[in-house]
Amino acid sequence: VAKEITSKAGVVFVAPTSWPDVEIRRKPEGLTYRAAIGYVAGCMGCNARFNRNGALEFTAIFTASYHVH
């Protein structure tokens, strides 16, 4: 889904090195590109963002290694 959207929108896509085992059985219909990318990110348990080079990438949510007091 993400590859198809970025191809249609003319955006570079940085694919994750490993994809979680998620099956999207039905193609999302009636969504904007932004909403569909958000849907995919939610299914993967991560965030979607544009990096410094303007490419779309998915980033994993992680626990910080420091505490704020």
Side-chain angles (χ1 to χ4, degrees):
V1 173
K3 289 178 186 178
E4 181 180 341
I5 290 170
T6 53
S7 174
K8 287 181 178 181
V11 176
V12 175
F13 175 57
V14 179
T17 53
S18 65
W19 290 91
D21 189 23
V22 175
E23 179 181 342
I24 299 175
R25 294 181 182 207
R26 199 170 0 148
K27 184 176 179 178
E29 298 288 340
L31 298 176
T32 62
Y33 288 158
R34 181 179 183 167
I37 290 295
Y39 175 78
V40 171
C43 288
M44 293 173 46
C46 62
N47 294 312
R49 69 175 184 184
F50 287 96
N51 64 21
R52 293 179 185 161
N53 300 319
L56 177 68
E57 64 183 7
F58 292 98
T59 57
I61 299 169
F62 61 92
T63 303
S65 59
Y66 58 89
H67 298 278
V68 177
H69 299 280

